């Protein structure tokens, strides 16, 4: 009875605490508390998903991302601030340390306020580039909202982004019955470096460009970036799977644009924006509510008849048949579900000593509660220290790098096939037989002939 | 022991005389050389048959047999490939080793070499030979697995 009660309590706690896979302490940095009202729906959504939100301003004395060397918060949301810097508590170094300590950061920019120098340095560190003078505005004369920005053309209307490339899971495509337009108002675009850790969620359409509204208000001659090279929402997933997202337009997350009616150039009727669903997906991804992979267990064993099939032995022999299995789960909003590799992508096992001797595709066995990927193969004809390695690093999925070391020994003296089993050896066996029988016959005749020889000599 | 000594002393003499006769005959007539060679070969065979002890003939026969068996094995290796190599090695080296042992037995038991091995009697040499051969056979059978 008592155990049943504790199980129920545990389940209750599990349901209530169902939130991000990496903790629920969220710090929101904004200019002053009054600004909260502008983002009430977004923040309310976060709260309803189970985050414990703390609000701070950059000037606050008590603001500290670390306490006694431990993270005080699991996630940070940075809303635009007017100050030039972010103060001594949010230096680029501290923010990087926060990422290194597995904290997630959602950063928002705006064209109306210049980005703080601290943020510019942090982004440079991550190879994300902002327009010069920390200020830029993205406009598009073809995909703008005619109802709110008929003159300035700075409210971009974009279709939902879809997957970055084939073979990736589509995390950021909100669906809606009427229209599928995202509003990107008064935003600052970024350009991304070549790093493999960087991946854009939302790119600007081909006709968009970024310019400096202060200096180039009359003539736009020197563009910061244009078209697809301009990233509006970009991400960086560090090697420790900590996530960092830059949203070019903070207004995108504001109440005003969550359910606004927008009208694209040339369209007759106004449609509702998808910003709310998109904001949920972007914040959910950044705060590790989706796209988090977990290795449940890894198992390998000898796959030969008549041998002991103990799990995870430390040693194998060359040319042994071996089976390797790995069980993976994916966190989806509030629970772990079986992980399915996206179509046209593959999960691979490397059997490597310095370089891979085998790189094999793992085949899935997916049930409602578990997904196991396994492959059976024959070990290479090479002894040494080998690794079973699964190295699965994809944009928007947390990194998997599982390495299990085993020794591979050579054949023992008595493990070779006997010569009489190999028909090719029979002539040589016959050769030995002939030598031995010939020798025996020779000895017999030698001994037999001894007396006569002695007689002859005498 | 005395008769053996006399035999040992007697045997080298005919060899030297035949050599002398063959060389002189070849010098005499160079026109009929093929006949001369036949003559030489016949001479050698006759001399061998007449003057070689029966046990030494037996040794020679066995050594020829070993060369044939070893040659066949080597030919098979060249024609059919050397897999499994350990089988080839042990089969071939059995004949080679046996040949070497038999050759040493022949050296030790030849009357002409009696003075070289004053402490080794025929029986002793044969006993050494048997022990050596058994060890060789054990190694070869073990190595062919």
């Amino acid at each position: 009875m008592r155990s049943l009660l504790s199980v129920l309590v545990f389940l209750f706690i599990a349901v209530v605490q169902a939130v991000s896979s990496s903790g629920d302490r969220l710090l929101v940095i904004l200019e002053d508390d009054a600004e909260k009202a502008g983002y009430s729906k977004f923040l309310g959504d976060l709260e309803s998903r189970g985050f414990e939100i703390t609000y701070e301003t950059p000037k606050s004395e008590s603001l500290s991302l670390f306490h006694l060397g431990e993270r005080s918060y699991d996630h940070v949301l940075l809303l635009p601030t007017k100050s030039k810097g972010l103060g001594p508590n949010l230096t680029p170094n501290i923010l990087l340390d926060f990422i290194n300590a597995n904290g997630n950061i959602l950063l928002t920019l705006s064209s109306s306020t210049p980005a703080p120098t601290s943020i510019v340095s942090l982004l440079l560190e991550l190879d994300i580039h902002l327009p010069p003078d920390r200020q830029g505005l993205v406009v598009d004369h073809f995909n703008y909202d005619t109802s709110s920005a008929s003159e300035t053309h700075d409210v971009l209307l974009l279709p939902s982004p879809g997957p970055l490339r084939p073979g990736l899971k589509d995390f950021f495509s909100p669906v809606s019955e009427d229209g599928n337009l995202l509003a990107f108002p008064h935003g600052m675009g970024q350009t991304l470096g070549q790093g493999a850790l960087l991946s854009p969620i939302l790119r600007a359409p081909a006709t968009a460009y970024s310019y400096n509204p202060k200096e180039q208000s009359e003539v736009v001659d020197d563009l910061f970036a244009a078209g697809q090279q301009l990233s509006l929402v970009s991400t960086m997933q560090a090697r420790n799977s900590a996530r960092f997202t830059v949203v070019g337009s903070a207004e995108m997350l504001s109440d005003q644009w969550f359910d606004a009616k927008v009208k694209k150039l040339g369209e007759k009727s106004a449609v509702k924006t998808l910003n709310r669903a998109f904001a949920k997906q972007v914040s959910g991804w950044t705060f590790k509510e989706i796209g988090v992979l977990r290795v449940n267990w890894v198992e390998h064993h000898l796959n030969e008849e008549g041998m002991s099939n103990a799990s995870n032995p430390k040693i194998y022999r060359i040319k042994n048949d071996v089976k390797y299995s790995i069980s993976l789960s994916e966190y989806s909003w509030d629970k772990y579900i079986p992980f399915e590799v996206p179509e046209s992508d593959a999960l691979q096992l490397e059997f490597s000593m310095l370089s891979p001797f085998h790189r094999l595709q793992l085949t899935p066995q997916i049930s409602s509660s578990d997904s196991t990927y396994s492959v059976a193969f024959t070990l290479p004809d090479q002894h040494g220290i080998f690794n079973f390695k699964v190295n699965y690093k994809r944009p928007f999925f947390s990194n998997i790098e599982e390495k299990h070391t085993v020794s591979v020994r050579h054949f023992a003296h008595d493990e070779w096939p006997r010569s009489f089993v190999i028909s090719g050896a029979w002539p040589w066996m016959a050769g030995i037989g002939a030598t031995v029988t010939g020798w025996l016959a020779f000895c017999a005749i030698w001994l037999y002939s001894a007396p006569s020889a002695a007689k002859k000599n005498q | 022991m005395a008769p053996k000594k006399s035999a040992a002393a007697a045997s080298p003499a005919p060899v030297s005389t035949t050599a002398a006769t063959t060389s002189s005959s070849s010098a005499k007539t160079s026109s009929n050389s093929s006949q001369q060679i036949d003559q030489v070969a016949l001479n050698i065979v006759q001399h061998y048959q007449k003057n070689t002890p029966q046990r030494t003939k037996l040794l020679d026969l066995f050594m020829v047999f070993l060369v044939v068996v070893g040659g066949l094995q080597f030919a098979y290796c060249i024609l059919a490939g050397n897999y499994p190599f350990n089988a080839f090695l042990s089969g071939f080296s059995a004949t080679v080793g046996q040949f070497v042992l038999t050759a040493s037995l022949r050296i030790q038991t030849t009357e002409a070499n009696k003075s070289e091995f004053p402490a080794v009697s025929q029986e002793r040499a044969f006993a050494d030979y048997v022990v050596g051969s058994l060890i060789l056979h054990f190694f070869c059978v073990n190595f062919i697995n």
Side-chain angles (χ1 to χ4, degrees), chain A residues 372-411:
Chain A
T372 305
Y373 290 80
S374 55
V375 66
F377 65 104
T378 306
L379 298 186
D381 189 0
Q382 169 75 49
H383 66 272
I385 309 296
F386 279 87
N387 290 313
F388 288 105
K389 192 170 173 189
V390 172
N391 190 0
Y392 187 73
K393 287 170 182 157
R394 298 288 184 276
F396 308 129
F397 274 126
S398 59
N399 299 327
I400 288 180
E401 196 171 354
E402 278 293 316
K403 208 162 111 173
H404 290 253
T405 306
V406 290
S407 311
V408 177
R409 63 174 174 85
H410 41 59
F411 274 93

Side-chain angles (χ1 to χ4, degrees), chain B residues 106-129:
Chain B
R106 192 184 192 281
I107 291 169
Q108 288 187 336
T109 54
T110 305
E111 293 299 330
N113 299 335
K114 194 73 196 168
S115 55
E116 298 273 335
F117 309 101
V120 183
S121 66
Q122 293 239 339
E123 288 72 25
R124 168 65 199 272
F126 185 67
D128 284 353
Y129 171 72

Side-chain angles (χ1 to χ4, degrees), chain A residues 44-89:
Chain A
D45 282 351
L46 285 175
E47 227 153 33
S48 71
R49 292 198 328 248
F51 287 101
E52 282 177 23
I53 305 183
T54 314
Y55 298 94
E56 292 278 10
T57 67
K59 287 162 201 142
S60 163
E61 293 278 312
S62 60
L63 170 61
S64 169
L65 294 184
F66 290 93
H67 179 63
L68 303 175
E70 291 287 316
R71 273 189 288 114
S72 319
Y73 304 98
D74 300 307
H75 319 286
V76 170
L77 167 60
L78 287 156
L79 292 169
T81 52
K82 290 195 177 65
S83 45
K84 191 164 177 285
L86 281 179
N89 296 323

Side-chain angles (χ1 to χ4, degrees), chain A residues 151-184:
Chain A
E151 288 294 313
T152 50
H153 300 181
D154 56 359
V155 178
L156 272 64
L157 295 183
L158 311 159
S160 59
L164 183 60
R165 54 178 161 84
L168 290 183
K169 187 165 172 176
D170 189 6
F171 286 112
F172 308 103
S173 285
V175 280
S176 143
E177 51 275 15
D178 58 332
N180 55 345
L181 287 176
L182 292 168
F184 185 83

Side-chain angles (χ1 to χ4, degrees), chain A residues 269-316:
Chain A
S269 57
V271 293
K272 264 174 77 174
T273 62
L274 285 174
N275 281 24
R276 188 169 194 160
F278 185 69
K280 182 190 176 189
Q281 287 167 332
V282 170
S283 60
W285 182 83
T286 310
F287 300 151
K288 287 195 177 165
E289 290 171 276
I290 48 175
V292 177
L293 301 184
R294 182 181 70 179
V295 177
N296 299 321
W297 46 262
V298 169
E299 202 255 344
H300 53 88
H301 61 79
L302 207 56
N303 192 24
E304 287 188 33
E305 278 190 35
M307 305 279 243
S308 89
N309 280 351
S311 273
N312 304 337
K314 286 269 180 289
I315 189 162
Y316 288 108

Side-chain angles (χ1 to χ4, degrees), chain A residues 418-419 427 439 446 449-450, chain B residues 54-55 76 98 129 133 144-145:
Chain A
R418 295 277 174 180
S419 274
W439 177 76
W446 172 279
S449 68
Chain B
Q54 195 255 332
R55 272 186 161 173
Y76 176 79
Q98 193 64 66
Y129 171 72
S133 300
I144 204 169
N145 193 7

Side-chain angles (χ1 to χ4, degrees), chain A residues 195-313:
Chain A
L197 305 177
L198 295 166
S199 35
I201 293 179
L202 188 63
R203 285 199 184 109
T207 46
Y209 63 91
S210 170
Y211 77 109
N212 189 332
K214 286 249 173 68
E215 291 180 356
Q216 304 175 321
S217 54
E218 302 295 313
V219 185
V220 178
D221 48 1
D222 191 19
L223 291 180
F224 164 61
Q228 295 267 310
Q229 69 182 134
L230 200 58
S231 175
L232 304 178
V233 179
S234 17
T235 64
M236 196 280 303
Q237 184 169 249
R239 272 184 289 197
N240 61 1
S241 296
R243 286 164 178 186
F244 179 86
T245 305
V246 189
V247 177
S249 163
E251 277 181 66
M252 205 179 176
L253 310 175
S254 66
D255 292 357
Q256 188 197 343
W257 291 99
F258 256 26
D259 298 311
K261 294 271 188 187
V262 291
K263 207 167 96 179
K264 205 173 171 180
L265 180 69
E267 298 279 329
K268 292 239 159 54
S269 57
V271 293
K272 264 174 77 174
T273 62
L274 285 174
N275 281 24
R276 188 169 194 160
F278 185 69
K280 182 190 176 189
Q281 287 167 332
V282 170
S283 60
W285 182 83
T286 310
F287 300 151
K288 287 195 177 165
E289 290 171 276
I290 48 175
V292 177
L293 301 184
R294 182 181 70 179
V295 177
N296 299 321
W297 46 262
V298 169
E299 202 255 344
H300 53 88
H301 61 79
L302 207 56
N303 192 24
E304 287 188 33
E305 278 190 35
M307 305 279 243
S308 89
N309 280 351
S311 273
N312 304 337

Side-chain angles (χ1 to χ4, degrees), chain B residues 27-48:
Chain B
K28 263 188 269 174
T29 51
S30 57
S31 60
N32 221 347
S33 64
S34 66
Q35 203 189 338
Q36 288 300 314
I37 289 171
D38 286 355
Q39 194 65 39
V40 169
L42 200 68
N43 246 341
I44 290 174
V45 169
Q46 276 176 350
H47 175 75
Y48 178 82

